[in-house]
Amino acid sequence: MSQPTKRTRAQESRAAIQQLYISMRHLFIRGGYKPLGVSGEAMIEALMVLRPEIYGSISDPERVELEGLNYIFQRLPQGIEECRYIRLVTREGFEKSGFQPIIPAKRRRNCYRIDDEQMFIEMTNGRSDIYDILTHLTFMYIEAEKIRRNSLDAKGRKKRDWFNLEKIIVQEENGENFNREVACTYLSNLLGRTFEETVEAVRRFDSTAKVNSLFHIVYWLGKLSIEEALDKTDREISFSSALREKIGHHIYGELWAQNIKRFLFEKDWLQRPVHIISSNPHSVMNTLYGFAAVSNEQFEVHHLEELARELSHEDRQEMRHAVEDYALRHGMYQLEDTSGTNITVQIFDTLQIDPKSLPAAIQWNEEYILGKKPILLVMDYAFGEQAYEVMDELLKPFELETPTGKKRTPFTVESISIMGKAGILEGGKGDIMVPTAHVFEGTADNYPFENNFSRQDFEGYGLNVCQGTMITVLGTSLQNKDILRYFLRSSWKAVGLEMEGAHYQKAIQAASKIRKSISENVKLRYAYYASDNPLITGHTLASGGLGEEGVKPTYLITTKILNQIVGG
């Protein structure tokens, strides 16, 4: 009798990811669930099997994962730990109400505190946004259960450390001073962590913008968990009927794209060659206008990288405003989002840019610019599946209502450049990845393409450069070392992972190869810089951002994109 085949850890992990997504889609269609009910427990079980790197010690029954908590609370609305009821909604008119929007530090989503117990969170970025937040909430409830278990004795009674934390919270709310070392001692027992680890975590939370103190978070996570266990007051997550009806129908992406094309139409620019760049909303602007806006009398800089580092410092807000103001007066137009996508767009008229003020790294071809009059369309980063929605809608012809019906005007797209952050599988933070194909995790979808960038474009600048397949993952918070090693060492030979590439490429191929709404020969440029290496402990996204390490690769990629456009 043959022995049953034993699954590898990577196979178990991939099955857990599929289980999570099946559960989340089921609960979304159903309209709600209790995180510690039967359905919620299925998600918790799958996440515990997966044990994502970003959630560190999630599987430890006693030790609370502190870096993971800091990571998720930068992506969740401030005060969510106090809310027993969480409701995910679409854009339903709250932006016109008296409720003040709460915007997390690291996610562009509007949230509204309805009352002491309820938080509404707007989901307008597609399914990836919903999966992202449900994964973070599931992790939050797992850690809350650890706090509860550490706070109660064998008979279910609250421990002395918990009562002391209650007193500290009252003092903190009243603005009174308290002995932080004594407080950290009580807190360390409730967290199952050492005193040193607790002190460091308290300091990290205090220095994180738009996140409550660790004392506050631990108290409220523990409080709601204890009340559910002892008093049967369940926590709940629900989805509005409007959200379930609208998701996946490109409603926000269509409005966003129409606003952009209407602006170009009104400027009579639709016939001019347009170069789409997906990147952050500052590197192109700073490269084109930074030297002109900031005089050398203020400080002496001679290279673009030096200028970029100066502009990236927190205390240089006035200087950043000066660059933006100058740009808006010299050919840059900023289209703030009103559609709900939360994707800002900048449009640059190259005819209004003074080539004499450009950095030496930019190879400006005056004859080409005057002859072709290219337009640069810079769009802020999309999120996961949202990339398909916005690119698909953007590449369609502009439709204008006329007395005789709809008039379709083609959109002249010459090139599409995607610059993004990604996890690297061989290398470190700040290194560069040049993809040759995008493979969509968990599906049979793969997208080989001809990249106008190659490894040679980025060599010789002091950065490690990798070229090969990129994996478009369902969520960066759902990866562990076993899956990532499989992608790296198998015949896929992946160099990195990100969340948008396959979605962008699917939209581009549909527009250029099938719908023929843009040229089949549209130039494509993809380049990513490493935000983390999830295979190295301490180098995951939860360990912190790139900081100044990200300046060099960001501006190197920006320069290479611009030179291929404005160099003719």
Side-chain angles (χ1 to χ4, degrees):
M1 186 174 171
S2 62
Q3 293 291 319
T5 305
K6 187 178 180 183
R7 292 196 301 179
T8 65
R9 179 79 182 100
Q11 288 170 329
E12 287 178 352
S13 300
R14 291 203 302 277
I17 291 175
Q18 290 304 316
Q19 177 61 44
L20 270 167
Y21 277 88
I22 290 166
S23 297
M24 285 192 269
R25 290 182 84 115
H26 164 69
L27 296 173
F28 177 68
I29 293 166
R30 196 174 82 180
Y33 70 103
K34 295 175 182 177
L36 293 187
V38 175
S39 300
E41 287 286 358
M43 286 177 59
I44 288 173
E45 186 181 334
L47 202 60
M48 294 291 274
V49 169
L50 183 60
R51 300 197 297 274
E53 293 306 311
I54 212 163
Y55 294 151
S57 58
I58 183 174
S59 60
D60 191 301
E62 186 176 354
R63 294 171 68 243
V64 174
E65 170 53 38
L66 298 173
E67 282 191 352
L69 282 179
N70 187 262
Y71 176 84
I72 68 161
F73 278 109
Q74 292 179 69
R75 288 151 179 82
L76 295 172
Q78 190 170 8
I80 195 168
E81 67 275 7
E82 302 171 13
C83 297
R84 196 183 313 278
Y85 307 103
I86 296 168
R87 188 165 178 80
L88 306 189
V89 300
T90 185
R91 182 160 280 202
E92 299 179 20
F94 289 101
E95 72 278 5
K96 300 171 187 171
S97 70
F99 292 111
Q100 285 299 310
I102 304 168
I103 302 172
K106 295 289 181 74
R107 283 286 183 269
R108 298 188 302 264
R109 51 170 74 110
N110 292 333
C111 311
Y112 302 94
R113 185 72 177 264
I114 305 303
D115 55 39
D116 290 343
E117 290 193 307
Q118 189 163 29
M119 182 77 76
F120 278 24
I121 304 175
E122 266 188 12
M123 300 276 101
T124 57
N125 298 344
R127 288 190 186 93
S128 295
D129 211 16
I130 296 171
Y131 299 155
D132 178 69
I133 205 161
L134 290 183
T135 308
H136 291 333
L137 289 173
T138 301
F139 169 68
M140 184 182 81
Y141 293 125
I142 290 170
E143 300 308 298
E145 288 301 286
K146 293 181 190 177
I147 295 167
R148 176 184 64 79
R149 290 194 295 269
N150 292 342
S151 303
L152 301 178
D153 64 19
K155 293 183 178 180
R157 298 172 301 193
K158 294 175 184 175
K159 292 180 181 177
R160 178 174 178 269
D161 291 316
W162 179 262
F163 289 119
N164 285 327
L165 178 61
E166 286 182 333
K167 293 174 188 174
I168 290 162
I169 292 302
V170 172
Q171 290 175 297
E172 187 180 59
E173 287 176 350
N174 293 336
E176 300 171 14
N177 290 325
F178 56 90
N179 188 315
R180 292 180 76 81
E181 290 195 339
V182 172
C184 285
T185 305
Y186 300 142
L187 192 62
S188 69
N189 295 332
L190 300 176
L191 293 172
R193 306 300 292 243
T194 66
F195 173 75
E196 185 178 19
E197 288 170 335
T198 304
V199 169
E200 170 58 25
V202 167
R203 183 202 59 76
R204 191 185 310 121
F205 273 77
D206 286 346
S207 62
T208 303
K210 298 185 179 181
V211 172
N212 288 328
S213 77
L214 186 58
F215 298 106
H216 185 96
I217 287 170
V218 170
Y219 170 73
W220 279 99
L221 288 180
K223 180 177 186 290
L224 295 185
S225 182
I226 290 168
E227 287 175 356
E228 180 162 347
L230 301 183
D231 305 331
K232 308 303 178 190
T233 48
D234 295 337
R235 290 162 287 181
E236 293 180 16
I237 296 174
S238 60
F239 311 91
S240 74
S241 57
L243 175 64
R244 285 179 283 144
E245 181 185 319
K246 289 183 179 180
I247 200 74
H249 293 297
H250 290 204
I251 291 167
Y252 303 107
E254 184 179 11
L255 287 171
W256 175 83
Q258 277 293 101
N259 289 341
I260 295 167
K261 287 177 277 194
R262 187 176 293 108
F263 174 86
L264 293 172
F265 173 79
E266 289 170 356
K267 287 282 187 181
D268 199 23
W269 288 352
L270 275 177
Q271 303 308 319
R272 289 170 63 174
V274 174
H275 297 267
I276 298 170
I277 303 172
S278 172
S279 76
N280 60 70
H282 56 76
S283 63
V284 173
M285 176 180 70
N286 290 344
T287 300
L288 295 176
Y289 297 107
F291 278 103
V294 180
S295 70
N296 278 332
E297 295 168 13
Q298 292 175 269
F299 60 91
E300 195 171 337
V301 292
H302 302 286
H303 302 288
L304 178 59
E305 190 182 329
E306 289 179 85
L307 175 66
R309 287 187 190 280
E310 284 291 336
L311 289 167
S312 71
H313 294 157
E314 279 188 28
D315 59 351
R316 296 295 192 185
Q317 190 171 355
E318 193 175 318
M319 190 187 299
R320 289 191 291 274
H321 284 318
V323 174
E324 187 176 347
D325 289 344
Y326 181 89
L328 290 169
R329 288 183 279 111
H330 293 84
M332 185 184 89
Y333 302 82
Q334 186 143 303
L335 309 185
E336 296 296 347
D337 177 63
T338 56
S339 66
T341 62
N342 296 313
I343 297 177
T344 299
V345 170
Q346 295 166 333
I347 295 176
F348 298 82
D349 178 9
T350 54
L351 291 179
Q352 297 184 50
I353 297 171
D354 180 9
K356 297 186 185 70
S357 63
L358 294 171
I362 298 299
Q363 299 159 6
W364 191 268
N365 185 328
E366 184 82 13
E367 185 181 346
Y368 168 78
I369 298 297
L370 293 174
K372 294 290 185 179
K373 305 173 184 175
I375 296 291
L376 308 182
L377 193 162
V378 177
M379 53 184 279
D380 203 351
Y381 298 123
F383 186 75
E385 285 186 24
Q386 186 191 32
Y388 173 73
E389 177 178 340
V390 293
M391 189 63 75
D392 185 58
E393 294 298 332
L394 184 59
L395 298 181
K396 290 177 182 177
F398 174 60
E399 292 187 345
L400 183 69
E401 292 285 354
T402 67
T404 56
K406 284 185 178 178
K407 180 186 175 187
R408 291 163 65 89
T409 307
F411 188 34
T412 313
V413 179
E414 286 271 311
S415 74
I416 301 171
S417 305
I418 310 294
M419 174 176 77
K421 291 184 287 188
I424 195 167
L425 299 182
E426 278 195 309
K429 288 184 177 183
D431 290 342
I432 289 178
M433 290 153 279
V434 181
T436 54
H438 291 292
V439 174
F440 190 18
E441 178 191 40
T443 73
D445 300 351
N446 53 78
Y447 301 92
F449 60 91
E450 189 175 325
N451 194 345
N452 253 45
F453 280 149
S454 68
R455 183 203 301 262
Q456 288 71 33
D457 289 315
F458 301 98
E459 289 180 334
Y461 294 92
L463 296 171
N464 181 42
V465 185
C466 301
Q467 184 166 322
T469 304
M470 293 289 288
I471 306 296
T472 298
V473 297
L474 295 164
T476 52
S477 55
L478 290 179
Q479 306 303 314
N480 65 24
K481 288 182 180 177
D482 303 287
I483 295 177
L484 300 176
R485 286 196 188 102
Y486 167 77
F487 284 136
L488 173 65
R489 296 171 183 172
S490 71
S491 56
W492 289 116
K493 291 183 171 56
V495 296
L497 63 147
E498 47 75 61
M499 284 185 64
E500 292 79 33
H503 303 298
Y504 275 135
Q505 194 58 30
K506 180 165 66 171
I508 293 166
Q509 288 185 193
S512 61
K513 310 286 186 188
I514 301 170
R515 288 177 174 156
K516 308 291 186 184
S517 56
I518 63 172
S519 169
E520 197 170 346
N521 299 316
V522 63
K523 292 185 178 70
L524 301 180
R525 305 179 192 93
Y526 284 90
Y528 297 91
Y529 58 93
S531 56
D532 62 298
N533 184 331
L535 287 174
I536 301 176
T537 302
H539 285 247
T540 67
L541 283 170
S543 65
L546 270 171
E548 282 200 20
E549 282 181 276
V551 170
K552 184 170 186 172
T554 298
Y555 282 83
L556 175 60
I557 296 171
T558 301
T559 301
K560 294 294 182 179
I561 290 171
L562 289 174
N563 282 341
Q564 286 203 10
I565 295 171
V566 303

